Amino acid sequence: AVTMISNLLVDRSQYTALVQEISAMMRGDRQIKVKAIKRECNLVSHELAKIGRVEVKTAVWLRSGLERVVKLCALDHTDPG
């Protein structure tokens, strides 16, 4: 994904519209840096994306979240690496 966004060549994949939208945002007056993050370093985001793909429902967590996400947040917050 990072290569697709950073590449100046024409993209003909199924993600063309998304890549073009991201590229347009990057041309604005904000400083944006795109880089790949290992899944192990981004467990909360990965878990939320997995939930979004697998579970067909809308959810809002006001005071707490799913136990597995809360545990990952705690791990992420305490892990110095």
Side-chain angles (χ1 to χ4, degrees), residues 3-71:
T3 304
M4 291 172 66
I5 293 167
S6 303
N7 197 345
L8 298 175
L9 299 175
V10 176
D11 176 23
R12 299 190 190 283
S13 75
Q14 64 184 6
Y15 305 108
T16 300
L18 181 59
V19 170
Q20 289 175 345
E21 185 177 338
I22 293 169
S23 296
M25 287 181 187
M26 292 177 64
R27 286 191 295 270
D29 58 352
R30 294 184 194 180
Q31 184 178 358
I32 298 174
K33 184 176 183 178
V34 178
K35 64 185 225 178
I37 302 291
K38 290 182 180 180
R39 186 173 294 147
E40 301 84 39
C41 298
N42 202 10
L43 293 175
V44 175
S45 176
H46 177 66
E47 184 66 22
L48 289 170
K50 186 168 69 172
I51 291 167
R53 283 191 311 272
V54 174
E55 298 181 16
V56 184
K57 65 179 180 180
T58 301
V60 177
W61 303 295
L62 298 176
R63 291 185 175 77
S64 187
L66 296 174
E67 184 177 345
R68 60 190 182 200
V69 175
V70 171
K71 285 181 179 180

Side-chain angles (χ1 to χ4, degrees), residues 71-81:
K71 285 181 179 180
L72 288 172
C73 286
L75 177 66
D76 187 42
H77 183 69
T78 57
D79 184 14

